[in-house]
Amino acid sequence: MKSHDSIPEPAPNPIYEAICGLIEEKSKVLDLGCGAGDLLKLLQSKKKVQGSGVEKSEEKVYECVSKGLSVHHGDIDEGLADYPDESFDYVILSETLQETHKPDLVIQEMLRVGKKAIITFPNFGYWRGRFYLLFTGRAPITNQLPHTWYDTPNIQFLTIKDFFFFCKEKGFNIVNSVYFNQGRRITFLPNLLAESALCVLA
């Protein structure tokens, strides 16, 4: 007989699982824009990392602290002056790049304080978004971009191709990249067919 008190486990986040697979056990990790701390909690549980985070929302900082996580209140657009050079093995920016005002400064700081940077972002070049705009004449709404134009936290509307051009222009070295469509990894025409991208910079 099934217990009514049992709470189902949340579905695994494929991007979080991919990030987890890139990080060695007991690494020192800083998660920028860590939200409610779900990724940090996963990394601590699976990889025993020495993890900490930075989050702009005070409410989410309190939520992280209630989970036993070390998270500081701060605005990553102002830099990471509190952290010395190469103080982390990995610095993560997951689904937050498109919300930053100064993406070049943020990434420069990530590569200063960390040996590697892991960045994930929604791809605004995804074909469903293109078709939505073409056929409706309205700002696209998709699974990865669920907000309407007037309540979206996104201020940078970048595609995978944009990000690669940006990194080349700024001298950021992309050493690995993975692309996702509805949780599945894809390798063909990612700028058109991928909903999200994961890039490792060093």
Side-chain angles (χ1 to χ4, degrees):
M1 184 175 177
K2 189 181 288 186
S3 169
H4 293 291
D5 295 327
S6 62
I7 300 171
E9 287 289 322
N13 181 317
I15 296 178
Y16 285 5
E17 294 290 338
I19 292 172
C20 199
L22 292 170
I23 293 177
E24 297 84 9
E25 284 198 4
K26 299 182 180 178
S27 295
K28 294 186 69 176
V29 174
L30 178 65
D31 188 4
L32 304 180
C34 61
D38 293 339
L39 176 57
L40 263 181
K41 198 71 177 175
L42 177 70
L43 289 169
Q44 285 188 349
S45 172
K46 284 198 168 186
K47 291 301 182 80
K48 307 295 186 289
V49 304
Q50 299 176 51
S52 57
V54 179
E55 173 54 46
K56 192 174 182 179
S57 164
E58 286 190 33
E59 183 180 340
K60 289 179 180 177
V61 170
Y62 295 141
E63 193 172 344
C64 288
V65 172
S66 72
K67 295 175 180 177
L69 299 171
S70 173
V71 173
H72 306 284
H73 180 247
D75 184 352
I76 60 175
D77 276 314
E78 296 176 358
L80 301 171
D82 293 336
Y83 301 97
D85 294 359
E86 295 192 4
S87 47
F88 296 92
D89 298 304
Y90 294 92
V91 182
I92 300 170
L93 187 69
S94 180
E95 302 297 300
T96 306
L97 179 66
Q98 73 281 359
E99 299 177 20
T100 62
H101 289 270
K102 301 174 182 176
D104 49 348
L105 172 65
V106 171
I107 296 175
Q108 283 171 3
E109 284 288 87
M110 290 175 74
L111 291 170
R112 179 183 66 78
V113 305
K115 296 172 185 174
K116 288 186 179 179
I118 299 176
I119 300 173
T120 74
F121 57 92
N123 174 30
F124 286 84
Y126 180 52
W127 72 269
R128 288 186 186 276
R130 299 189 196 196
F131 274 45
Y132 192 99
L133 179 60
L134 177 64
F135 290 112
T136 70
R138 299 179 61 192
I141 298 175
T142 67
N143 290 335
Q144 287 296 108
L145 303 168
H147 304 282
T148 54
W149 67 268
Y150 54 84
D151 71 351
T152 180
N154 302 321
I155 56 176
Q156 312 288 355
F157 299 91
L158 72 155
T159 68
I160 293 168
K161 190 176 286 188
D162 283 327
F163 185 72
F164 272 74
F165 274 106
F166 166 79
C167 287
K168 184 177 180 181
E169 179 182 296
K170 298 294 181 179
F172 301 141
N173 184 28
I174 299 174
V175 296
N176 192 11
S177 56
V178 186
Y179 310 104
F180 299 88
N181 185 319
Q182 298 181 357
R184 297 187 303 272
R185 296 192 185 195
I186 66 166
T187 57
F188 183 66
L189 295 176
N191 197 55
L192 180 66
L193 301 179
E195 287 182 307
S196 301
L198 183 161
C199 295
V200 182
L201 280 64

